[in-house]
Amino acid sequence: YFSHIEGISFLNVMIGIFIIDTMEYFFHYFLHENKTLYNKLHNVHHRPVPMTPQTSFTNHDGEIFITSPNILLVFVFSSLSFHEYIIVTALSFSATVSDHTVTSSKRKYHYIHHHVNKNKNLQQPFFTYWDHIFGTYYKGSDLKIPFVP
């Protein structure tokens, strides 16, 4: 199903990063906007206080069932090779853990999402452009730099 099994293109990896950032933002936005889904599913991710790197993957099984197959299907039918898919998902996991690593800054981009305003700073795992476009960016946030806790 992958367009070509082998090969790595920097452009395709960047396209994959854009895809995952876009899908994660809209799934995350939807899970926060739909009160039923938030209370029954996504709330599990927000329960651990303070957030820790383990919080990255603390999710209700139902949430995983909604998001993961859709993300996989988009990648299967994209132009990414299998190796590019592996690179993008590995980078995504690393960036997600980094986002959930607490530092001394109370203005850290994803810290604000978990501890100050759960309806702000929704974009994950790499950049913040969808938050800026849709008005969900918290103006007092530190600059989000992927892979930097």
Side-chain angles (χ1 to χ4, degrees), residues 32-81:
H32 277 267
E33 286 298 310
N34 184 307
K35 299 304 176 205
T36 302
L37 289 178
Y38 181 84
N39 291 330
K40 296 204 181 271
L41 301 178
H42 192 61
N43 187 357
V44 170
H45 177 72
H46 283 270
R47 281 188 199 144
V49 175
M51 69 176 185
T52 65
Q54 292 83 3
T55 308
S56 307
F57 303 107
T58 303
N59 297 300
H60 188 283
D61 293 343
E63 181 178 343
I64 295 166
F65 183 72
I66 291 170
T67 57
S68 295
N70 289 301
I71 291 170
L72 177 62
L73 281 173
V74 166
F75 276 112
V76 165
F77 293 106
S78 73
S79 64
L80 272 66
S81 72

Side-chain angles (χ1 to χ4, degrees), residues 100-114:
H100 290 86
T101 301
V102 176
T103 63
S104 60
S105 175
K106 302 298 182 207
R107 294 179 31 191
K108 183 179 174 192
Y109 174 83
H110 206 64
Y111 178 91
I112 287 173
H113 173 69
H114 275 262

